[in-house]
Amino acid sequence: MKHTSSQLKAISRKALDGNWGLPMGANIILGVISFIVIFFITFFTNTTTVTGTITSEFLTYAVSLFISLFGAGITKMTLNISRKQAYSMKDMLYVFHHNADRFLIVGLIIAGIGFVTGLPVMFMSMNSDIPVSFILFFSVFDLIISVIIDLFLGLSTYLLLDHPEMGAMDSMKESIRLMKGNKGRSLYITLSFLPLAFLSVLTCYIGMIWLAPYMDMTMANFYRDIIGELNTPDHTPTRKFPTMTIEENSNENNSAF
């Protein structure tokens, strides 16, 4: 039985009850590090030239890729909390001790696609003769591509965390398979947080301190729901997930969004 968005959120709030502190602190630390690093990249690169702009964008993506490893650590912390397992701030470093290259490969592929789709916006923003409507159009296109990528590969990090023996490419293939019939749910859950995100903006983003762990926990439970954990007695964790042979996969003619 698949859980609804409201049910997943209720389960997430219950899991975070009394456990808000460390996830909030971890997200604050990650946010501060990201802000400082991006600030220095912007300050020390000349974005008025094509070379400087490309360099700035490249460095930003490279740093974001490295910082994403800490983000995966926060995901590990979130999974532990959701499963009522021991957790600590050390979870932020978990990936660095468990074949970080697997996470880097996934992140590199996603970041690479984002870098390529973002190039038109980057170059057009440097040309004052290009209409704002064009820049806006390609910005929206870039955003849509990012959303689509997440709908297909959004479970890769969870799979790598749960299965240390799994390779980067296998995690992406499995994510694509598991998301069949669940992309609509994932998109709906993400969009359902928009009102709270808007309120967070009105509070000068202070509300994000609470919203980020809430969103992380809901998506972690969404993953657990897909692999069947939330349908087990007391939501007990399982490391097993259904497999599909290449022949079975090739014989599938239709798949729900």
Side-chain angles (χ1 to χ4, degrees):
M1 181 188 71
K2 294 181 179 180
H3 291 71
T4 66
S5 174
S6 298
Q7 290 172 329
L8 290 175
K9 288 181 177 180
I11 294 172
S12 299
R13 289 192 298 269
K14 183 177 180 181
L16 285 169
D17 187 23
N19 296 304
W20 287 92
L22 284 185
M24 290 170 63
N27 277 285
I28 290 174
I29 292 174
L30 189 62
V32 170
I33 293 175
S34 301
F35 175 80
I36 293 175
V37 173
I38 298 302
F39 172 79
F40 276 102
I41 290 176
T42 304
F43 184 80
F44 287 106
T45 54
N46 182 10
T47 56
T48 60
T49 63
V50 174
T51 302
T53 300
I54 294 177
T55 301
S56 177
E57 289 294 322
F58 177 79
L59 289 176
T60 299
Y61 275 105
V63 170
S64 298
L65 180 61
F66 177 74
I67 291 177
S68 70
L69 298 180
F70 295 98
I74 294 178
T75 299
K76 173 63 176 176
M77 179 191 298
T78 304
L79 279 173
N80 286 348
I81 295 174
S82 69
R83 289 166 171 163
K84 298 181 180 179
Q85 297 175 346
Y87 68 95
S88 69
M89 195 62 78
K90 292 181 180 179
D91 289 331
M92 288 189 70
L93 303 176
Y94 177 87
V95 172
F96 293 93
H97 305 291
H98 292 80
N99 299 324
D101 58 301
R102 300 179 302 143
F103 297 85
L104 282 173
I105 291 173
V106 173
L108 184 61
I109 292 174
I110 295 175
I113 297 174
F115 181 78
V116 172
T117 57
L119 283 176
V121 178
M122 182 193 346
F123 286 119
M124 284 190 295
S125 62
M126 297 177 60
N127 191 337
S128 58
D129 295 329
I130 296 179
V132 176
S133 58
F134 272 66
I135 299 177
L136 180 61
F137 171 81
F138 280 98
S139 296
V140 172
F141 174 77
D142 187 28
L143 177 61
I144 292 175
I145 294 297
S146 299
V147 171
I148 292 174
I149 292 173
D150 186 63
L151 289 177
F152 280 92
L153 304 179
L155 300 183
S156 299
T157 296
Y158 298 98
L159 290 165
L160 291 176
L161 290 170
D162 271 354
H163 305 279
E165 76 288 352
M166 181 177 283
M169 300 305 296
D170 288 334
S171 74
M172 290 188 285
K173 291 177 182 178
E174 187 63 20
S175 177
I176 292 173
R177 188 183 73 79
L178 290 175
M179 285 301 288
K180 286 182 178 179
N182 290 297
K183 294 188 230 16
R185 280 209 304 156
S186 177
L187 182 60
Y188 178 81
I189 292 172
T190 300
L191 293 177
S192 70
F193 282 106
L194 286 181
L196 290 177
F198 178 72
L199 291 176
S200 297
V201 172
L202 296 180
T203 62
C204 298
Y205 294 96
I206 294 177
M208 286 300 299
I209 297 175
W210 287 269
L211 181 57
Y214 185 22
M215 293 176 63
D216 291 343
M217 183 61 70
T218 303
M219 295 312 297
N221 281 317
F222 172 70
Y223 161 72
R224 295 181 64 210
D225 187 36
I226 289 178
I227 64 174
E229 276 191 16
L230 297 188
N231 289 323
T232 58
D234 300 321
H235 298 173
T236 51
T238 174
R239 291 296 182 271
K240 296 180 180 180
F241 53 87
T243 57
M244 177 180 293
T245 63
I246 296 176
E247 181 180 355
E248 289 173 332
N249 188 44
S250 63
N251 289 333
E252 282 196 347
N253 295 321
N254 300 299
S255 62
F257 180 80

